[in-house]
Every structure is written in structure tokens, then in C-alpha cells.
Amino acid sequence: MHKRWLSAGLILLAVTLSNGLTAHADSDYSNALATAPQGILLDKTDAIMTLGTASMSSAAVVDTTNPAAPNTQAARLTDGPNQFGAVWSTDDNYFNLKEDETVSMWMYFGDKGTKAADGMAFVLQNDSNGIDASPKFGRFGVVGETLGAWGIDKNPVQSSSAGIAATAIQNSWAVEFDTAFNNQTGGHAAGQGNSFDIGYPTAHIASSYPSLATTYHQYVDPGTWGITKTNYYYSLQHNGLITNSKNPGFLANGQWHHVTIHWNDLAETMTYTFNDRNPQTGEQQPGVSRTVRLNQKVIDPTGSNRVRWGITGATGSRWSNNLVVFESTPGNIKANTRTTLTDLTREREIQDRGTTVANDQVRLDYHLDYRDGRQPWSSIIANLKLPESINFEEAKITYSGDRVPEILDVSKIKDNQLLTELGYAMDSAYPSATISLTGRVAPVSKTTKVARTSSTFSSNALIRTVETPAFTINPSIDLNLSVTSGQTVNLKAQEGTTVAGRVDMATNAGTGPLAKLAVTLNKVKLPDVALNADGTFTLPVTNEMLRQGTNTLNLRAVTADGDRSNLVAVTITVTGELKFSYISPNESFQNSTLTDKNQLVHRDGDWQLVVQDTRGTGSQWTLMAQATPFVSEVGAKLGGGPVYVSKRGVTPIGANPTPVLTHTMTDANLDGKFNVAAHWEKTSGVLLAVDSGTTPGNYSGSITWTLEDAPQ
């Protein structure tokens, strides 16, 4: 027994000495500062975060040393054994539970993998102690498994879960980033503060309510044969669990991890997303998310809708460097950022994974849009990491409203990076700003891929990151199209033709891209035509494809990359004709009861009268009508006769040809057909005028239609 306790004491002493020698001087801590991503300054005049004031807090604000992330500070929560640290939001930087809110940050858990301890927690709280809130460590000292938020399980005779909850930060909810595996069970577990993770995986992320008794599950150690008293130890309820069975040390891997916390007011849910940004490039990535419903009565018992938020951390005899860099905070400023890359030469936006062509003129726009907030977005530092292979020649910042644009000095672009500060703050009155850089794509001899770049817009209250699209540069291509068969073709009706030509390509690429012929005939797109190996082509144009009159065939050579040749138009004229396409041979008028008054009798049946003019757009024709007298079966003549009713009035149709309609052909008549009868209404077109003195009977007669190729 003496040997066992002496051995434990020597081990503890060795660990303590080792920690004392390495604190503040270990390579992991230096790596954390040197690789810290872009974040906000924590100690500015209008600070949005403040260090916890609890007497045991060891948290500090430290300057990072990464030259790629200027004006960034980190909150160092722990850097040695038996430490507690906290950083809290200021009174104005609260979570508003009646609005959607988002917090984003970078978290660093050291490089000790599965041997790390103990981690950090994101906490929402309305503890009466405010920024002085912490677990009630008391005589036990700092307990690592609390992560600075959970209750204290160091009293072996604590028989109540409520007793554990009472020692936690009150009126709280927390997401833990737990790097230590606290799973001790059995007779020696009570009073050790090392059992919260019983039944769960090793390093993990999870959420729960530190101040609720239901969060803690009690285990009983009944003692031995009644000689020793009953003792108790507790595990923790883990909700929304995130773990990595293949890499149990995934938190403390010597990398910064991006975390986004989002509150959905309507759904009353909290979503936390881990690793949703690349720590080296800043590029967005899917990450891993969990969504849990939040009981607002626990964290906001008075219904104020305002909740303080922050980060806590704790270590025991084992420890790790735990640091946080804040990126965006709730409520103060809500803003969106995005980029667009436009190929000005080709008049199109270059989408992500799109293409452009060497020597094309392009414009890169960074759009900043202020949406809402409790303060303006001011003192914005733009750290622009520009895409490679674009030589920028001009740059400026334009603002909404009457603000004067700012011209930027492109000579300050070094290593594809430009650092500048926006001259104006953004608010609801002046909500937008755009940084525009115009330049030319570099010449390339082969297809070249350009990677995304990630830029930041930072202030003391908000960091926004935005990415440019990834794109491909193709070598410049010069296409020249010529038609060798002639650009004017005259055909007779029912004739076709073949259009022939050649496409010449000039390029500095080792292998030129495939080109094809884009074709439209009378504004209708036809299938593309493949070119022969020598660039020549033949395009059959059949008589079925053509209309009478003038046809326009447009040809242009194109590549898949968007290169285009000159446009060549071939005019094909087909001699047309004017004719009746169809006239219904037998038609009738409705049966009618004679009265002592004159009347117009309506048509009966489906009258058809179709004219076809294939002489081309602009040609005109006049429809003429003449009729024989209508006679009954007993030889009586009808009093009256057919008439043509139009907007111009009523035109009697008699023995001589009479003009009733004039029409001009347009592009809308692709086949030259015009259905005259289809435009008649019930009370217009051909009707039968019957005089009041007409003798009853069945009358018949004929109407003759003729066409003239000139208007009357």
C-alpha cells in the first residue's frame, strides 16, 4: 500500500514539473498563434467580448502571429494544468432569442490527440453572476471534466443530481468540445470527477443543460458489506453527439477548427456545425452538423429574450492549449458578402468551375451588403487574396448612395494579395459597397486551372469570408469563317442547295480545341455541324427547310470554351407564288324563319378559305369575291344575296369581282399560309342578306374567290 501511494505521488510530481517548464514556451502554443486564422480584435475600444472575472479564471487575450491574418487576437482559455478560463459577451452583444442569430469562431484544442484534456464549451447563460459565472469549484479546485460549465462531481456523498446541477453555471445550455475521456466506473469512481462520459465515445462534441438535474445520471457505489458508506458518481446526458470513431483524437490534432452556432427563432432550434471551413485556405466545406431543440425557459426563466454567451475551458492534471478566435457575433452586425467574376470580353459571368480565355478582359467584384444590426459595420479591413493568372490593371470601391468612389492603387498588389481599408462605414442608410478589380487573363499555352481564393473583411465586431470561383483558362483562339459557295443563292420552288465553307483557327495552344458550326435559318436554330479535319464544311439545305421568298442562313464557328468566329449570313431567295391552299367546296347558311324585316343569315358548317403566299415577307394580296344570284328549287330569285362584313362595313357580293380583304405577309407566316375564314367571327365574314319580301324556299348559288397580287 505504501509503495502504491508513493509511486502515485512521484508521478504527479513529475507531471507538475513538466507542465511548469513547458507552459507558454511549448511549440504547440507557438504553432497555434502562428497559424491562427483571421479574426477580430478583442481589446478594442468597442470590444464585443470580455474576459470572465471569476477569481479562478486564467483566460487572457493574446496577439496572434500569423502574417496572413493581421489584426487578429485570440482568447487563451487554458495553457497549463488545473486551469479554468472564460470569455463572455458584453452586455450589448447578447443572443436575441426573438431573432435568428449566428456565432462563428475558430477553436484550437492543442496537439495531444487522445491524451489531450479537457476541452472547451460554448455556453448560453443567464446566471446571476454574469461575466463572473463559473462552476462552484470551492475547496475542490478546478475540475477538468466540467469544461468550465458543467456541475462538479467531486463529492462522493453527493446523493442528488440536483446537487450536482446546483454547482454548474446556472440557467445555461452548453455545447461541449470534450478532448478527454472521463469514463471511470466502479468502486473508486465516486469523488473523482471523472465519469461524465460513461456510455459515450472518446473525444466528442455534444450539448445539454448544465444547470438541470436531469442532465446528470446517478451511479451508486453501495460500499463493501456495509463496512464503507454508500458513495455516488455521475455521468452526463449527451445530446446531438458528434464523434469520429476512425480518428478519436480529431479535436486535439494541432489544427484550428471552424465552428458555427446558429439559432433558428421560428423552429426554436440550435444548430452547431464543426469543421465547416478549411483552416489553411478558409474555403467553405460541408462540416458536420447537429440540430437540437432549445428549451428557452431553462436559459431565460424571466422571458427577457436576451442571453449572454461565451466560451469556457478547464483542465485537470492533464492539459492542453485551448484558444478561440472569434469571427462573427450575434446581433451587432448582420451582413452578407459574395463575389462575381465577369468575362467582359465575352459578356458573361464566370461560374464556379467555369472557363475563360487567355487575354480576355475580366472584372472581379467583391460585394458587401449590410442587412441589419445594432451598430454600423465600420473600420472594415479587406484582406483580398486574388486569383492567380489575372493581371489586374484597375481597382476601385463604389458605395451606395452619393458617396464618392475610391480608387485603389493596384501597384500595392503583392503576391496576389491586396490589403485595404474601406473609407466608409456601412449601415441601413448606406447598405452596400463593391470592390471592383479589372484586368486581363494571363496568356497560357495549355488549359490552366485556377484555384479558389478566400478573402476576409474584418472589423472589431464582424469577420466575413468570401471565395472567388475556381475556373479554367483556355488558350486564346482566333476563328475565321468564310463561305466559299457564295453568300447569295437564288432558287426556284422545290429546289435545295448546299452551302460550303471553311473555318481557319489560329492559337498558341499545342492542340487547338474542337470547333463546330452553329447554324440558324430564319432565326430558328438548326443542329450544329461538325467540321472536317481540314476545317472545311458542307451544309445541305433542302427545299423543305426553306420558305418562298427570302431566307437568311446565319453561320458562326464556336468552341466549347466560348470562342466565336465572325458571323456570316447567307441569303437564299426562293421564287414564290400566290395561290389558294384550300377552299371548302360546299358550304351553307343557317335555316332561317322569314319575317317582315330584312335580316342577315349566319353561316352554317365549317367554312375553309386558306391563302398561301410564298413570295416572302412584305408581299401583299387582295381577296376578291363575286356571286351568282341565289335561286330556289322552283326558280324564284332570293331577295338579297351574299355580303362580306368587316370593320369597314358591309360589302355586297355581286356579279362582278369585288375586293373584300387585303393582307401583307410577315415573318410570323413561316409557311406563307393565311386562313381567312379562321379570322371571321359570328357576325363578320360572309353572311347572307335576305330581304323582307323574300319567298320561302331552299335557295342555292355560288361564290367565286379570286386573288390579286397587289392591294386594291
Side-chain angles (χ1 to χ4, degrees):
M1 180 65 70
H2 290 293
K3 290 182 179 180
R4 185 177 67 176
W5 283 108
L6 179 59
S7 174
L10 289 174
I11 293 173
L12 178 60
L13 178 60
V15 172
T16 303
L17 289 174
S18 173
N19 287 335
L21 290 173
T22 58
H24 278 263
D26 64 284
S27 59
D28 175 59
Y29 183 77
S30 299
N31 173 68
L33 299 181
T35 60
Q38 184 71 54
I40 63 177
L41 283 170
L42 295 174
D43 63 355
K44 293 195 71 169
T45 303
D46 298 322
I48 59 173
M49 305 296 295
T50 184
L51 296 176
T53 57
S55 60
M56 302 186 72
S57 179
S58 60
V61 173
V62 295
D63 294 328
T64 61
T65 59
N66 185 357
N71 302 313
T72 297
Q73 291 177 316
R76 187 192 68 222
L77 300 181
T78 66
D79 65 345
N82 304 307
Q83 289 184 348
F84 159 77
V87 57
W88 297 110
S89 60
T90 58
D91 291 340
D92 294 331
N93 187 24
Y94 55 87
F95 247 77
N96 185 345
L97 296 178
K98 286 301 180 184
E99 297 179 359
D100 289 357
E101 299 278 29
T102 301
V103 173
S104 62
M105 70 201 83
W106 294 90
M107 306 181 78
Y108 189 86
F109 305 96
D111 64 352
K112 298 180 180 179
T114 56
K115 296 182 180 180
D118 276 85
M120 292 180 279
F122 171 85
V123 183
L124 298 180
Q125 55 103 341
N126 260 317
D127 192 301
S128 60
N129 291 312
I131 63 173
D132 196 37
S134 72
K136 298 176 177 61
F137 294 121
R139 62 185 177 85
F140 300 112
V142 175
V143 180
E145 77 168 352
T146 66
L147 302 183
W150 308 111
I152 298 169
D153 183 22
K154 290 289 284 186
N155 183 357
V157 297
Q158 175 56 261
S159 60
S160 167
S161 295
I164 299 290
T167 63
I169 293 179
Q170 296 301 289
N171 304 323
S172 63
W173 174 84
V175 182
E176 68 169 14
F177 300 83
D178 194 345
T179 60
F181 191 31
N182 306 109
N183 68 331
Q184 187 173 352
T185 61
H188 298 290
Q192 299 303 308
N194 192 30
S195 302
F196 277 178
D197 299 327
I198 293 174
Y200 292 97
T202 53
H204 55 265
I205 303 168
S207 61
S208 200
Y209 301 91
S211 58
L212 283 188
T214 53
T215 298
Y216 305 93
H217 176 72
Q218 185 185 81
Y219 291 84
V220 179
D221 175 12
T224 305
W225 300 101
I227 299 175
T228 58
K229 58 187 176 182
T230 300
N231 290 325
Y232 306 90
Y233 56 98
Y234 295 83
S235 66
L236 193 70
Q237 174 65 40
H238 290 60
N239 303 317
L241 186 69
I242 296 175
T243 189
N244 188 335
S245 59
K246 295 182 179 179
N247 181 16
F250 72 105
L251 289 173
N253 62 351
Q255 297 284 333
W256 286 89
H257 299 274
H258 192 265
V259 176
T260 302
I261 312 285
H262 177 70
W263 162 246
N264 186 316
D265 166 43
L266 184 63
E268 297 185 350
T269 57
M270 194 73 78
T271 299
Y272 42 94
T273 306
F274 180 74
N275 273 356
D276 53 348
R277 293 259 303 280
N278 184 295
Q280 279 76 41
T281 66
E283 292 182 11
Q284 294 181 349
Q285 53 192 30
V288 183
S289 294
R290 296 292 183 268
T291 298
V292 297
R293 183 170 294 277
L294 193 63
N295 187 342
Q296 297 181 58
K297 293 182 180 180
V298 175
I299 62 174
D300 184 28
T302 64
S304 68
N305 297 317
R306 295 169 58 134
V307 183
R308 190 182 301 277
W309 64 277
I311 307 293
T312 64
T315 62
S317 59
R318 288 165 49 197
W319 63 277
S320 295
N321 293 304
N322 285 309
L323 301 96
V324 180
V325 167
F326 292 100
E327 186 179 63
S328 67
T329 62
N332 278 347
I333 301 170
K334 295 181 180 179
N336 293 329
T337 54
R338 60 187 177 90
T339 62
T340 54
L341 182 60
T342 304
D343 189 321
L344 300 178
T345 302
R346 299 170 195 278
E347 299 180 348
R348 68 184 185 190
E349 183 177 341
I350 303 172
Q351 304 291 341
D352 189 42
R353 301 183 185 278
T355 61
T356 186
V357 178
N359 301 317
D360 277 7
Q361 186 181 41
V362 295
R363 187 184 69 242
L364 175 60
D365 293 315
Y366 294 88
H367 305 277
L368 290 74
D369 296 296
Y370 180 93
R371 291 170 46 213
D372 194 9
R374 304 180 191 124
Q375 67 183 62
W377 192 10
S378 60
S379 302
I380 304 171
I381 303 295
N383 188 0
L384 306 181
K385 297 180 180 178
L386 306 173
E388 295 181 348
S389 301
I390 298 179
N391 301 314
F392 290 103
E393 301 161 346
E394 297 178 356
K396 64 179 180 178
I397 308 175
T398 56
Y399 300 90
S400 55
D402 56 358
R403 290 174 166 172
V404 178
E406 299 174 68
I407 304 301
L408 302 180
D409 185 357
V410 294
S411 68
K412 294 184 178 179
I413 298 176
K414 304 297 182 184
D415 298 324
N416 297 309
Q417 188 164 345
L418 176 63
L419 188 67
T420 188
E421 181 173 359
L422 276 69
Y424 297 97
M426 298 170 60
D427 54 25
S428 56
Y430 296 91
S432 63
T434 302
I435 303 176
S436 301
L437 299 100
T438 304
R440 288 202 174 271
V441 180
V444 296
S445 59
K446 62 180 180 179
T447 299
T448 303
K449 292 184 177 181
V450 179
R452 296 183 186 89
T453 61
S454 182
S455 299
T456 58
F457 300 93
S458 59
S459 69
N460 68 314
L462 179 69
I463 303 291
R464 275 287 175 262
T465 301
V466 67
E467 296 176 0
T468 60
F471 61 94
T472 298
I473 303 173
N474 292 305
S476 59
I477 304 294
D478 184 19
L479 298 173
N480 183 63
L481 170 65
S482 59
V483 172
T484 58
S485 58
Q487 291 182 234
T488 302
V489 180
N490 294 307
L491 300 176
K492 295 180 180 180
Q494 307 303 314
E495 284 187 336
T497 187
T498 297
V499 177
R502 180 184 183 89
V503 176
D504 294 304
M505 179 185 299
T507 177
N508 59 346
T511 302
L514 291 176
K516 57 187 177 181
L517 197 64
V519 184
T520 61
L521 177 60
N522 297 326
K523 299 182 179 180
V524 176
K525 188 177 186 325
L526 301 182
D528 294 336
V529 176
L531 302 178
N532 297 320
D534 60 356
T536 60
F537 65 87
T538 54
L539 173 61
V541 181
T542 65
N543 68 293
E544 291 86 1
M545 300 165 62
L546 299 171
R547 64 190 183 192
Q548 297 294 324
T550 301
N551 297 262
T552 301
L553 181 72
N554 285 328
L555 308 174
R556 190 192 296 273
V558 298
T559 70
D561 301 327
D563 302 286
R564 302 191 304 171
S565 74
N566 53 307
L567 178 68
V568 176
V570 177
T571 301
I572 304 175
T573 303
V574 179
T575 303
E577 60 181 338
L578 176 64
K579 66 179 182 178
F580 286 107
S581 175
Y582 181 76
I583 300 176
S584 50
N586 296 297
E587 290 295 355
S588 61
F589 295 96
Q590 295 178 355
N591 292 329
S592 179
T593 302
L594 295 174
T595 66
D596 57 355
K597 297 180 181 180
N598 296 339
Q599 59 181 301
L600 286 176
V601 178
H602 299 296
R603 297 177 302 277
D604 191 24
D606 183 21
W607 289 55
Q608 294 291 318
L609 177 55
V610 182
V611 178
Q612 186 172 24
D613 185 359
T614 56
R615 296 171 301 165
T617 298
S619 63
Q620 292 181 314
W621 50 260
T622 297
L623 178 67
M624 315 286 286
Q626 64 186 103
T628 63
F630 276 52
V631 180
S632 72
E633 66 270 18
V634 296
K637 289 186 177 182
L638 177 72
V643 296
Y644 195 91
V645 181
S646 66
K647 293 181 179 179
R648 295 188 298 176
V650 178
T651 302
I653 301 175
N656 297 317
T658 301
V660 296
L661 173 69
T662 297
H663 182 72
T664 301
M665 297 302 295
T666 67
D667 285 337
N669 301 107
L670 296 179
D671 58 1
K673 292 183 179 180
F674 182 80
N675 191 336
V676 177
H679 291 77
W680 294 342
E681 298 178 354
K682 183 177 181 181
T683 57
S684 67
V686 179
L687 302 176
L688 185 64
V690 179
D691 295 344
S692 59
T694 297
T695 302
N698 293 320
Y699 292 84
S700 62
S702 64
I703 300 175
T704 300
W705 302 98
T706 58
L707 288 170
E708 289 193 0
D709 62 359
Q712 297 293 318

